[in-house]
Amino acid sequence: MHGSSAPPIIRSAADVNHLINSGRAKGGKSRAITIIALGGIFIDAYDFSSIAFGLPDIAKSFELNPIQEGIVAASIMVGALLGALVGGYLIDRLGRYKMFMADMVFFVVAAIACAVAPNYELLTAARFIMGIGIGIDFPVALAFIAEFNALRGRGGKVSLWQPMWYLATGASFVVLLPLYFLMPDELHSEMWRWAVGFGAVPALIVMLVRHRYMDESPAWAAGQGDLDRAAAILKNSYGLEVQVGEPDPGAAPAASAKPAALTEFRRLFQGRYRVRTIQASAVNALQSAQYYAVGFALPVIIAGLLQQGRLTSIIGPLIFNLLFGVVGGFVGVRLSDRLGSWKLAMSGFAVCFAALVGLGSLGRGSGLALLGIGGLLGLFVFFHSYGPGAQGMTISTLSYPTSLRGVGSGFGQAMLRIGSIISLFFFPILSAALGTGVFYVVALAPLLGMLVLAIIRWDPTDVDVDAEADAAAGTTSSLTGQADSNERSTT
């Protein structure tokens, strides 16, 4: 509550960033906006994972070879890569809200198209279109979370996307479980169509909720030179009254011409951002490669490599995702402020490496060995979610100021998709050739992740990158270091 304090006066984008980053702008709709943004992540994860269970049935129904099966699995990632690169730039150029609303159309149309696809080609095309929507939605959702929350605790809030991801992945198997018992055996091979098509329902709900409650990022609006709009958003989203004062003569003027896309991407590899981009890109690509070989492929591993039945390949991933994935993600969120992104990513990679080597050593197994395999799979999922799974995109989102966040987050998402494309395409081929020995190959991903983190020790968790960028441009917030005496007098 702001009481009878005099409204803060904003004269520049730096003032708006300071109000949010310092925590003076808080409450109101900010928590609801974070939850709605996470709702988008839920749709992203559901659409990615809902088809994982059905890949063996798709391959059998459409008579696919391992290469074609890999193309079906990887097509959504190719679309996501394109969506992340193009969308990341448009997020910074057109604004967060417009892109946040537009990408939902991809989900609804593509989910229905996937469900009714009569052949391999149309299924692949629909998955590609769905991927474009996901590639756009992911970075804009994380940008919203970062730009509506204070610096303190922001890393944990951005990292919430990881338990939400596993919750959505588990939800896809919750949808499958009743279908298994309700549908006759001869139709079980079509269960994946129902699971995929159901994704259109939550997408429609999220679209309506976004339209009702979401607003543009005040930091982005201020960065475009529209302080009046930023003031209106601060009032609507936080209930915070501010006054727009005369522009700060020391503030950098808002650019009248938007920079070209290549110029913006070039900035990621200039100055202080170069090392951050390399680190974030590596963590994203490597954590994605290990996840899509093991976490995403759990139904294939259980049904194929471990030779278990259809029901087990539903219940097993359900347990792994909800118990180990969700809990591991929340443990990482809880420890985010204490440990920071770097330590979480490094320790998570280390345990994932040990788990993958163990899985390769045990092979298929039976009896107690099968329990050991289950334990190692659970350990992998827990520490992937706790560490590098969350921190790759957290680092990408928090390493850049508002003016570059869409491009930076989008580029990180693109690197994540490159790792997933490689994994999804080659894992079926390598697992067919190597059996459980494929886990030794996958173990190279966390090993390389640890090496990169040992060389680059950047951690953005407690760094105010907006203030850093303002200082580099020779501007600072007129509110920095000023106590709000009127507000203090009312407490």
Side-chain angles (χ1 to χ4, degrees), residues 1-2 18-31 148-150 157 234-241 487 491:
M1 181 174 180
H2 302 287
H18 175 76
L19 288 173
I20 297 169
N21 293 343
S22 66
R24 291 178 67 183
K26 59 184 177 180
K29 294 181 182 178
S30 60
R31 181 173 296 180
F148 273 89
N149 286 282
K157 289 183 173 65
L234 287 170
K235 181 178 180 180
N236 182 53
S237 298
Y238 299 96
L240 176 64
E241 294 276 359
E487 182 171 340
T491 61

Side-chain angles (χ1 to χ4, degrees), residues 131-187:
I132 292 176
I134 292 172
I136 296 171
D137 190 80
F138 212 101
V140 73
L142 296 186
F144 262 116
I145 296 172
E147 291 166 18
F148 273 89
N149 286 282
L151 179 64
R152 181 173 177 81
R154 179 181 290 175
K157 289 183 173 65
V158 173
S159 298
L160 278 169
W161 79 265
Q162 186 69 178
M164 181 61 73
W165 180 278
Y166 278 98
L167 186 64
T169 303
S172 67
F173 292 98
V174 170
V175 172
L176 285 166
L177 195 57
L179 291 176
Y180 177 86
F181 293 104
L182 293 173
M183 295 177 66
D185 291 347
E186 61 269 21
L187 293 180

Side-chain angles (χ1 to χ4, degrees), residues 283-307:
V283 174
N284 273 309
L286 294 168
Q287 69 84 11
S288 179
Q290 71 176 29
Y291 170 75
Y292 282 95
V294 180
F296 178 83
L298 277 173
V300 177
I301 292 171
I302 292 170
L305 293 181
L306 301 183
Q307 299 177 336

Side-chain angles (χ1 to χ4, degrees), residues 9-49:
I9 300 174
I10 58 173
R11 296 183 172 87
S12 66
D15 291 337
V16 175
N17 287 324
H18 175 76
L19 288 173
I20 297 169
N21 293 343
S22 66
R24 291 178 67 183
K26 59 184 177 180
K29 294 181 182 178
S30 60
R31 181 173 296 180
I33 289 171
T34 297
I35 294 171
I36 294 169
L38 289 171
I41 302 294
F42 182 96
I43 305 301
D44 298 347
Y46 180 91
D47 286 337
F48 264 129
S49 58

Side-chain angles (χ1 to χ4, degrees), residues 21-111:
N21 293 343
S22 66
R24 291 178 67 183
K26 59 184 177 180
K29 294 181 182 178
S30 60
R31 181 173 296 180
I33 289 171
T34 297
I35 294 171
I36 294 169
L38 289 171
I41 302 294
F42 182 96
I43 305 301
D44 298 347
Y46 180 91
D47 286 337
F48 264 129
S49 58
S50 58
I51 208 169
F53 165 84
L55 280 176
D57 290 321
I58 292 170
K60 185 176 181 180
S61 175
F62 295 145
E63 300 180 347
L64 306 181
N65 58 44
I67 293 178
Q68 290 174 317
E69 184 180 348
I71 291 173
V72 170
S75 59
I76 192 171
M77 302 299 176
V78 177
L81 190 156
L82 177 63
L85 289 175
V86 176
Y89 171 68
L90 293 177
I91 287 165
D92 284 340
R93 180 164 186 171
L94 302 179
R96 281 57 166 141
Y97 179 78
K98 289 179 181 178
M99 301 304 296
F100 213 30
M101 293 301 299
D103 61 46
M104 279 291 109
V105 177
F106 289 91
F107 294 114
V108 176
V109 173

